Amino acid sequence: MKRITRRSFLEAGVAVGAATVLPAYIARPAWGQSVSERIRTACIGLGGMGTGDAREFNHLSDVVALCDVDKVFGLKRALSAKIGRQVDGKYQQPETYTDYRRILERDDIDAVSVGTPDHWHTKISVEAMQSGKHVFCQKPLTLTLAENILIRQACEKYGKVFQVGTQQRAQKNQFATAALMVQKGLLGDIVRTTCIVDGGRESPLIPKGDVPESLDWNMWLGQAPYTDYLAAEIGKNPFDGLKICPWYSNSHIMFRWWFQYSGGRITDWGAHHVDSALWILGRQKPEQMPISYDFKEATFLMPYQDGYPTVENQFNTPVRFRVECKFADGTDFIVTSHDKDPNGILLEGTKGRIHVNRARIAGKLYEEGAHKTFTEEDFTSIYNGKPFEGHKQNFIRCIREGGTPVSDACTNILSMHVCHLSNIACRLQRNIQWDAVAEKIVGDDQAAAFFSRKQRKGFELPTV
């Protein structure tokens, strides 16, 4: 008789999942399942979002391993949150690592949650898929346009479930309802979409600091150029007085305001609103992306030369910006920090307009109740045929049953195309033309050079 292992049990669940109804494991927490039913998860990167994700996965799976390059800000905080698993009614602490590769070597882990700084997302995610693991990765998914293509190639080759942490797609009463209103034609033809993502963060000149003993700074930098650790306690620190996380730095939490590691507000909130807007519009193919990115405004804290900052110790992503993009059919798609409407997405059609954010939908058609005829089947249809549920629950379900999660990587990278191209337009302060079919910048060799970037030796991206 063939021995039934935990992995073969999970694989069998995927094979028959399309013919099953809502299984019990979705409805009850991990500790209410038998050992053979449980999905075993590892969490890599345990900063603000990473620890939050680990807490949520702690209720949906067995979190058996934790990894962070900072033993205090990452590992200690996560362990203090009692992230682990229940064994015979008792808490069991996960194994801890400072090198994520030790996790990928383990064949008893089904899925990884990646909550590292942005410049590590692609490398870890692709290597995780290569090691046979499903991936949940926080946004923004990538650092460059080239990483977008690499992510797609890996998803197509390795066939793992890959959910991106753009959880707005799982907000039923806001973004999903807006998607149905648009896709059912209630607003008519959409002529303009505006993503308002708020402005970037400012900083003073930040002095060199002492690398905390708990932090492996070389590993934290990864593919980014080696540089000094910068840190300053200037003004009130909003992070509960954590000395390991200064208010101004080029590390924890503040990494998002440096192009070396992220893309500022355009990829921070843009990863949410641009992604949601394209999903709402039903533009989920490369050839449906905007083809022109018209630069209108970009305010930086320092002068830029040839697309690069001239000051090394100050936040360098744009504080204010506006890029007016255009689809091939002539409709407008705008990415801006400030507008007459608040943070959110403004959708303007020939029959009406709505503004949607995480709090509500505003607009005459919505207030008149045009959305009240939507059925559960309608919501299921935009959830790739899956029941409408929480973002991480959807990820776990797809591992069990097969199918495509609601925020899959191959559609999410299209929003990252828009974000990265908008940032390139801001950095060079000129218009950018994009061949949406060939997926390349055209007519501007200097702009095209931003398609990828050199990785530091020893931290190169994998090949697929």
Side-chain angles (χ1 to χ4, degrees):
M1 178 181 294
K2 183 179 179 180
R3 185 171 70 92
I4 299 177
T5 64
R6 185 182 61 83
R7 189 167 291 278
S8 65
F9 175 91
L10 292 171
E11 290 172 350
V14 170
V16 302
T20 60
V21 295
L22 177 63
Y25 58 76
I26 293 295
R28 65 185 192 273
W31 54 81
Q33 304 165 16
S34 68
V35 173
S36 63
E37 285 183 301
R38 298 173 186 165
I39 288 174
R40 292 161 68 93
T41 304
C43 300
I44 302 171
L46 298 163
M49 289 301 301
T51 294
D53 289 339
R55 287 192 183 100
E56 292 186 53
F57 279 118
N58 203 38
H59 293 280
L60 299 170
S61 64
D62 275 350
V63 177
V64 298
L66 300 172
C67 178
D68 200 282
V69 297
D70 193 318
K71 296 177 182 178
V72 174
F73 185 71
L75 290 173
K76 185 176 180 180
R77 289 173 63 247
L79 290 174
S80 68
K82 291 293 184 180
I83 293 168
R85 60 175 178 158
Q86 296 286 332
V87 179
D88 298 327
K90 296 181 180 179
Y91 166 73
Q92 187 175 89
Q93 180 174 299
E95 295 292 325
T96 58
Y97 303 88
T98 56
D99 188 333
Y100 74 95
R101 291 170 292 189
R102 305 291 80 82
I103 284 177
L104 302 190
E105 291 169 353
R106 291 178 54 169
D107 62 5
D108 64 332
I109 291 174
D110 305 298
V112 297
S113 172
V114 182
T116 63
D118 306 350
H119 64 296
W120 269 104
H121 287 176
T122 297
K123 181 174 175 62
I124 294 175
S125 295
V126 171
E127 290 176 354
M129 287 187 281
Q130 290 176 327
S131 72
K133 295 166 179 56
H134 305 288
V135 177
F136 181 96
C137 185
Q138 265 304 330
K139 46 59 61 179
L141 180 56
T142 62
L143 189 65
T144 66
L145 293 160
E147 290 187 11
N148 290 340
I149 306 302
L150 180 62
I151 286 284
R152 180 198 291 141
Q153 291 172 339
C155 289
E156 292 173 347
K157 181 173 182 177
Y158 303 114
K160 310 309 292 184
V161 176
F162 196 136
Q163 178 90 300
V164 184
T166 46
Q167 73 277 6
Q168 288 182 172
R169 294 195 188 191
Q171 284 197 260
K172 186 175 185 179
N173 295 329
Q174 294 84 28
F175 298 94
T177 296
L180 288 174
M181 291 183 70
V182 169
Q183 294 173 27
K184 287 181 175 292
L186 300 185
L187 300 183
D189 296 329
I190 301 300
V191 296
R192 182 181 297 105
T193 302
T194 306
C195 299
I196 307 107
V197 300
D198 294 337
R201 188 69 58 83
E202 299 185 33
S203 81
L205 297 177
I206 308 171
K208 180 180 177 180
D210 295 326
V211 178
E213 293 182 4
S214 61
L215 174 63
D216 183 340
W217 179 236
N218 183 60
M219 190 69 168
W220 189 96
L221 285 171
Q223 64 163 291
Y226 194 88
T227 188
D228 290 332
Y229 174 82
L230 306 177
E233 294 289 347
I234 303 173
K236 183 180 179 181
N237 189 325
F239 306 117
D240 300 323
L242 288 170
K243 296 299 181 183
I244 200 69
C245 184
W247 182 216
Y248 295 109
S249 77
N250 59 347
S251 181
H252 301 319
I253 301 179
M254 296 294 107
F255 68 85
R256 69 190 74 251
W257 312 117
W258 305 82
F259 274 128
Q260 295 92 318
Y261 322 115
S262 187
R265 192 68 82 184
I266 289 178
T267 60
D268 180 33
W269 266 100
H272 284 302
H273 288 340
V274 173
D275 174 78
S276 295
L278 293 174
W279 181 61
I280 288 169
L281 295 172
R283 293 181 180 266
Q284 299 287 274
K285 297 178 181 179
E287 62 270 21
Q288 295 176 316
M289 293 304 99
I291 60 172
S292 67
Y293 293 76
D294 294 348
F295 167 77
K296 297 300 180 182
E297 177 188 5
T299 302
F300 294 92
L301 297 178
M302 75 286 293
Y304 260 59
Q305 183 174 351
D306 297 326
Y308 290 93
T310 56
V311 175
E312 296 182 353
N313 60 337
Q314 193 172 27
F315 293 168
N316 58 34
T317 56
V319 176
R320 290 184 64 96
F321 48 85
R322 186 178 180 89
V323 179
E324 297 184 357
C325 317
K326 199 172 285 291
F327 293 109
D329 61 9
T331 59
D332 296 322
F333 190 92
I334 299 167
V335 179
T336 185
S337 56
H338 300 81
D339 203 71
K340 60 183 180 298
D341 293 290
N343 180 292
I345 305 167
L346 175 65
L347 297 138
E348 299 176 85
T350 55
K351 295 181 180 179
R353 51 178 272 171
I354 57 172
H355 179 275
V356 57
N357 59 27
R358 294 184 181 182
R360 84 304 182 258
I361 297 177
K364 183 178 179 181
L365 281 171
Y366 179 83
E367 291 158 6
E368 290 175 347
H371 62 289
K372 292 183 178 179
T373 60
F374 298 158
T375 66
E376 286 303 312
E377 288 73 20
D378 290 326
F379 287 102
T380 298
S381 70
I382 61 171
Y383 228 60
N384 296 327
K386 300 294 185 184
F388 206 98
E389 59 191 340
H391 206 59
K392 293 181 178 65
Q393 288 87 341
N394 177 249
F395 173 62
I396 296 295
R397 179 185 292 278
C398 289
I399 293 175
R400 291 286 190 174
E401 299 178 358
T404 304
V406 68
S407 189
D408 66 293
C410 287
T411 59
N412 184 269
I413 64 169
L414 302 179
S415 62
M416 297 314 301
H417 277 357
V418 176
C419 291
H420 294 326
L421 288 163
S422 296
N423 260 329
I424 294 170
C426 289
R427 293 178 69 159
L428 293 173
Q429 302 204 2
R430 62 175 178 260
N431 301 346
I432 303 296
Q433 301 301 313
W434 176 249
D435 184 331
V437 176
E439 293 182 292
K440 64 179 183 180
I441 296 171
V442 294
D444 189 331
D445 290 342
Q446 186 179 40
F450 284 90
F451 190 87
S452 63
R453 78 173 196 184
K454 183 179 179 180
Q455 294 103 46
R456 193 158 59 100
K457 186 176 180 180
F459 297 94
E460 297 89 350
L461 294 171
T463 57
V464 174

